[in-house]
Amino acid sequence: MLIGTAGHIDHGKTTLVRALTGVDTDRLPEEKRRGITIELGYAYLPLAADDGNPEQVLGFVDVPGHEKFVPTMLAGASGVDFALLVVATDDGPMPQTREHLQILELLGLSHGAVALTKVDRASPERIAEVTRQIHALLAPTSLAGAPVFPVSAITGSGVAALRSHLLDAAGALPARTAGGEFRLAVDRVFTLSGAGTIVAGTVHAGQISVGDTITLAPAGKTARVRSLHVQNRKADQGHAGQRCALNLAGLAVDEVKRGDWLVGTARPLPSTRLDIHLQLASDAPRALAHGAVVQIHHGTRHLLGRVALLDATLEKTGLPPGGDCPAQLVADASLHACRGDLVVLRDGHGQHTLGGGRILDPFGPVRHRRAPERLAVLASQLIADPAERLQAVLNRAPLGLDASQLAAAENCHPGTLVTLLPTAHHSERAGWLIGSQPLEALGKRVAARLAQHHEQHGDERGVERDRLRRMVAPAVPALAFAEWLDTWLAAGHLARSGSAWHLPEHRVELDDRDRQRAEKLMPWLLEKPFEPPWVRDIATRLGEPEALTRELLKRLAARGETCQVVRDLFYAPAAVRSLGRIATELMDGEGCIRAAAFRDRSGLGRKRAIQILEYFDRVGFTRKVGHGHDEQHRIRGDLPVN
């Protein structure tokens, strides 16, 4: 169990921790000189092993009580299991007592006790009076009913009883699960001679072992765990709920700072827009305005940002004290966060604690953040059961979600999402998830859009894949949309002719005269398959106007009988398939397709080779990568030629 102290300056927090553990947590010379805690201090109390259980260790995080050091207090309180509120008998509850208590509640702490210190200087009547004040102070909070222990760190009175209660509380506290990817909030970084960089903090999720590779978030640098200390003792493994110190290989001490995270995932995604359920404190000095500048405290880090209230009715009036609503925090710098993390907000000058909330989505959108569909997704994030919550979120996402982003938000592996969402459609190549209901609705929208296109352009066979995606679902990755089209094709809901997608019943018909002309010109396209004649040349041989010949070739392309590479150049499908095989051979042999290599292999001129490759890009057979001298093409799908 991790115990965090809290309370006003000079109420005896550090002295009490020393009496409980024998450790003086004030280690800085300035702390010794001034007699106040400035930095976070740490102490540990071993518990005797019994009934075959291994020896456990209680950890203490001692925080400063001065109002100037509230950000440091917040960093220390992040991740603790149990609050030890310290109140001096002579002063009673003071301003920082109240603010620290408010912060403990915002951080979700419901387990705690109160140490009533300096009782050796007070009368029984004074002790009883302050005890009543403390109970009244705790009554409306999550620590209501917490026991009060009168103690004197000087005489030792009451210390044994408090220590015994802490040991009992540690035994009764439910163990944290070690599920999810490893996450440690960094609160201390230092070096040791012969060891190198040491990074310490509280493990919020998962577990870590010697030899593991971790990633520094949000920077993205990696390191290897050389050795590990858990609760101040050497160990091979640490897990959620413990304080760990990691000796890291691959990170210099100046590359890590308080507020960073060490995570187990290889690719942590930084975020700057946190969608939260915001609760404003009842004693907040004023309503919280839309767009207000605030200090955002998350984990062991604090940074500036702005609040966007997502309830449109509050945009002019602001959120009143005691009120709550969905909100988006727009941070001034990127950070690492997950759904379920708690944040505390203070005013921009750091003078008042305003409130806080639980993160619903660490990757909030830039646009349409107040749209009803988006607010419905955020409401679904309040569901406690993971599988039920994820299913509800996915059902309310009409175009699906980025699987990597959703996994990062949930602090799990993408494969875990697939397990929790057995009815969802997962595109592994695109890294995209969509619910069965949204996919069915999207299929109907695609069919409706094609029906509209057929009505307006009856002489066209259909719509090319990427153009259709831009019409209906531009935010969806091309690979995922291609997979869905194939699904609808297999189900008979759609049809494809060449590169054109259309409804199964749609046909582009040719009259007898056009069919006769088509049968006459088609062999001409195969006389020189890679160098077919231009439209003007075909029109001359047919003895027809150029415009009519062009329209005929376009109708043939709509039927999949020709392929329109550029405006006035049409290829036979067999020739395009041959060129596609050349592109495939280059891809297999060289890992990419460059214009010069394609030109040499096909025997085309450079300009014509580029036109063919651009056609391949347009129909989705290849995609262009890079620019200028680095430009290349890579195959991404089947060549859509009948």
Side-chain angles (χ1 to χ4, degrees), residues 312-351:
T313 63
L314 300 174
E315 185 169 0
K316 292 183 179 180
T317 62
L319 181 65
D324 67 291
C325 74
Q328 185 176 97
L329 305 180
V330 184
D332 284 356
S334 61
L335 47 81
H336 165 75
C338 294
R339 194 210 69 84
D341 289 355
L342 292 163
V343 294
V344 175
L345 303 183
R346 306 189 81 221
D347 68 277
H349 299 290
Q351 296 177 337

Side-chain angles (χ1 to χ4, degrees), residues 534-580:
W534 290 88
V535 167
R536 63 177 178 270
D537 301 321
I538 295 173
T540 300
R541 291 178 70 175
L542 279 176
E544 298 281 357
E546 185 175 325
L548 290 178
T549 303
R550 182 183 300 110
E551 288 304 314
L552 173 60
L553 285 163
K554 288 175 66 176
R555 284 198 296 276
L556 290 171
R559 293 176 58 82
E561 296 180 41
T562 64
C563 300
Q564 186 176 15
V565 173
V566 293
R567 182 175 183 270
D568 279 352
L569 185 64
F570 292 79
Y571 272 65
V576 172
R577 283 194 294 271
S578 297
L579 291 167

Side-chain angles (χ1 to χ4, degrees), residues 137-149:
L137 182 64
L138 297 181
T141 75
S142 58
L143 292 177
V148 179
F149 291 89

Side-chain angles (χ1 to χ4, degrees), residues 269-603:
L269 300 179
S271 57
T272 56
R273 293 177 177 270
L274 311 176
D275 284 351
I276 73 168
H277 183 78
L278 172 61
Q279 175 71 53
L280 195 62
S282 57
D283 60 350
R286 64 186 66 85
L288 183 63
H290 176 74
V293 176
V294 294
Q295 289 186 1
I296 303 169
H297 294 262
H298 168 257
T300 55
R301 186 179 184 188
H302 73 280
L303 68 169
L304 287 174
R306 290 184 179 273
V307 178
L309 303 178
L310 301 184
D311 185 339
T313 63
L314 300 174
E315 185 169 0
K316 292 183 179 180
T317 62
L319 181 65
D324 67 291
C325 74
Q328 185 176 97
L329 305 180
V330 184
D332 284 356
S334 61
L335 47 81
H336 165 75
C338 294
R339 194 210 69 84
D341 289 355
L342 292 163
V343 294
V344 175
L345 303 183
R346 306 189 81 221
D347 68 277
H349 299 290
Q351 296 177 337
H352 304 284
T353 297
L354 303 177
R358 191 173 295 276
I359 295 177
L360 304 177
D361 186 350
F363 306 106
V366 178
R367 295 185 177 89
H368 309 300
R369 56 192 180 187
R370 286 180 177 168
E373 297 84 359
R374 176 60 188 171
L375 295 179
V377 169
L378 293 183
S380 300
Q381 292 283 16
L382 296 171
I383 299 172
D385 179 73
E388 184 182 351
R389 179 181 68 250
L390 287 168
Q391 189 63 63
V393 168
L394 208 58
N395 284 341
R396 287 167 173 78
L399 297 179
L401 297 168
D402 184 316
S404 296
Q405 194 176 84
L406 185 58
E410 292 286 332
N411 191 38
C412 68
H413 189 275
T416 304
L417 295 179
V418 177
T419 303
L420 291 172
L421 297 165
T423 63
H425 293 257
H426 179 217
S427 171
E428 291 189 33
R429 290 194 303 163
W432 201 258
L433 277 167
I434 189 170
S436 56
Q437 295 175 11
L439 184 59
E440 182 180 353
L442 181 61
K444 292 178 180 178
R445 290 203 301 275
V446 168
R449 187 66 183 84
L450 285 174
Q452 181 184 13
H453 183 83
H454 296 334
E455 183 177 351
Q456 296 172 349
H457 308 281
D459 60 341
E460 293 184 8
R461 191 67 185 110
V463 182
E464 290 182 349
R465 182 175 65 195
D466 281 352
R467 184 182 172 203
L468 182 59
R469 179 179 65 86
R470 291 192 295 270
M471 288 177 172
V472 182
V476 171
L479 286 174
F481 191 71
E483 288 184 16
W484 301 341
L485 286 176
D486 289 339
T487 300
W488 297 322
L489 176 66
H493 302 316
L494 299 181
R496 188 183 74 176
S497 297
S499 61
W501 290 85
H502 56 89
L503 296 179
E505 62 274 15
H506 179 67
R507 297 284 185 274
V508 175
E509 302 296 344
L510 299 179
D511 58 27
D512 292 341
R513 185 169 181 273
D514 281 344
R515 174 49 61 193
Q516 291 173 3
R517 290 188 298 166
E519 290 175 356
K520 189 174 183 180
L521 69 83
M522 286 298 294
W524 301 343
L525 300 182
L526 291 170
E527 289 175 355
K528 293 182 178 180
F530 290 2
E531 294 280 357
W534 290 88
V535 167
R536 63 177 178 270
D537 301 321
I538 295 173
T540 300
R541 291 178 70 175
L542 279 176
E544 298 281 357
E546 185 175 325
L548 290 178
T549 303
R550 182 183 300 110
E551 288 304 314
L552 173 60
L553 285 163
K554 288 175 66 176
R555 284 198 296 276
L556 290 171
R559 293 176 58 82
E561 296 180 41
T562 64
C563 300
Q564 186 176 15
V565 173
V566 293
R567 182 175 183 270
D568 279 352
L569 185 64
F570 292 79
Y571 272 65
V576 172
R577 283 194 294 271
S578 297
L579 291 167
R581 285 192 289 271
I582 292 173
T584 302
E585 291 169 2
L586 288 172
M587 183 73 189
D588 292 341
E590 302 179 16
C592 68
I593 308 157
R594 296 186 184 274
F598 185 72
R599 174 201 63 198
D600 295 342
R601 186 72 65 88
S602 64

